[in-house]
Amino acid sequence: MYSGVRNTLRLMRITQVFLRHDLGEFVVALGLYRGFRFLLFPGVFYRQSADKPHRGQRLRRALEELGPVFVKFGQILSTRRDLLPDDIAEELAKLQDRVPPFPSEIARALIEQAYGQSVEQVFASFDEEPLASASIAQVHAARLRDGREVVVKVVRPGIEGTIRRDVSLLYTVAELVERYWSESHRLRPRAIIAEFEKILLDELDLMREAASASQLRRDFQGSELLHVPETYWDFTRRTVMVAERISGIPI
């Protein structure tokens, strides 16, 4: 009961964000209003702009406003050119994880919880200012006690609950789409959400990421074209990953 009410309130929020970005056509086309007709009432308060941005740009901005799980979903959808019109796929490909960092004292506490030691016992130095912050984790620069320069990736606190909440809502939306949209058999929305859920939950386990990175490093050992940073397994846990720090230009 509580979950159903929570999803309904969250769906109201999504609908309001879509309407604010002049995306009422998406709400109507997907049939969401059929189960929740009252959600369209706020639309009377939004005026369509004659010079509004194209639909792909408006959709990208709406997903950015809805938060990191929806940003990640848009990123994954952008790779499915077989399902999306080109203008939407190209705009969703521009989505980036620009998530505000969580406080460094929380990062320190999470690291110490993972190691059972203080940060000072593990690292010779630890940069309180994060190098990067994304939807799943953030990264800090550090130096091991033997002098090696490293990056420390820490899973964002509470992110698993956020993921499960928003994915639950996406399943609700997918069920409505399958029920009311005639083209849903081609899109297979629930299958897409299931794949998305698996990807996100796998990303929460940094041991999996470390294993993949180590395998990739072995595959390209000795290559002059690609350098894969070394993963330091002695310092890697499910919620903390430590890897070689390298310098370069972002692609």
Side-chain angles (χ1 to χ4, degrees):
M1 176 66 179
Y2 173 71
S3 178
V5 171
R6 183 175 58 185
N7 278 350
T8 299
L9 293 174
R10 183 77 168 126
L11 189 57
M12 289 176 63
R13 158 72 174 156
I14 292 172
T15 302
Q16 288 177 333
V17 169
F18 269 44
L19 292 173
R20 185 160 57 250
H21 288 275
D22 288 340
L23 291 168
E25 70 268 28
F26 283 87
V27 179
V28 173
L30 296 178
L32 302 185
Y33 73 97
R34 301 191 186 190
F36 302 90
R37 292 179 185 274
F38 61 91
L39 298 181
L40 290 183
F41 292 162
V44 301
F45 298 106
Y46 302 107
R47 180 176 299 174
Q48 297 282 338
S49 172
D51 58 347
K52 64 184 178 182
H54 62 80
R55 62 179 183 174
Q57 187 175 354
R58 285 180 279 129
L59 179 58
R60 173 177 59 79
R61 290 175 178 175
L63 294 178
E64 288 173 338
E65 183 175 341
L66 288 170
V69 173
F70 289 87
V71 167
K72 184 75 72 174
F73 185 53
Q75 290 172 337
I76 292 173
L77 274 183
S78 72
T79 67
R80 297 299 306 270
R81 297 297 180 111
D82 57 320
L83 299 177
L84 297 178
D86 287 342
D87 63 314
I88 292 180
E90 288 171 7
E91 196 64 37
L92 293 186
K94 299 177 184 178
L95 284 168
Q96 298 181 26
D97 281 334
R98 290 187 287 257
V99 181
F102 56 88
S104 59
E105 57 266 26
I106 294 179
R108 291 177 67 96
L110 292 170
I111 292 169
E112 291 176 349
Q113 181 181 13
Y115 292 143
Q117 302 178 70
S118 70
V119 167
E120 287 73 22
Q121 288 176 296
V122 180
F123 302 105
S125 66
F126 179 82
D127 193 345
E128 303 287 341
E129 186 73 21
L131 286 174
S133 181
S135 55
I136 301 296
Q138 74 181 31
V139 176
H140 291 259
R143 187 171 68 253
L144 296 177
R145 302 194 69 81
D146 62 8
R148 287 176 292 180
E149 298 291 334
V150 298
V151 291
V152 184
K153 186 172 185 178
V154 187
V155 172
R156 185 173 287 273
I159 188 61
E160 183 171 355
T162 300
I163 288 172
R164 293 191 183 279
R165 180 199 69 193
D166 284 348
V167 167
S168 172
L169 176 62
L170 288 172
Y171 274 118
T172 299
V173 173
E175 289 169 4
L176 291 170
V177 170
E178 289 188 350
R179 185 181 307 169
Y180 296 119
W181 190 34
S182 60
E183 294 296 316
S184 64
H185 65 280
R186 183 177 67 87
L187 186 62
R188 297 172 59 240
R190 276 190 288 186
I192 291 176
I193 302 304
E195 180 181 356
F196 176 58
E197 180 181 28
K198 182 181 185 305
I199 290 171
L200 282 183
L201 294 179
D202 282 351
E203 285 190 22
L204 291 176
D205 186 352
L206 296 185
M207 297 290 284
R208 286 177 176 268
E209 180 174 339
S212 297
S214 296
Q215 181 62 56
L216 190 64
R217 179 177 171 83
R218 286 192 293 271
D219 291 343
F220 285 91
Q221 196 72 41
S223 170
E224 296 180 359
L225 298 175
L226 179 66
H227 176 80
V228 179
E230 182 179 358
T231 298
Y232 299 126
W233 281 97
D234 289 345
F235 302 94
T236 295
R237 306 289 187 272
R238 188 176 186 276
T239 57
V240 178
M241 176 178 167
V242 175
E244 171 191 7
R245 183 178 183 181
I246 62 172
S247 299
I249 300 171
I251 297 175

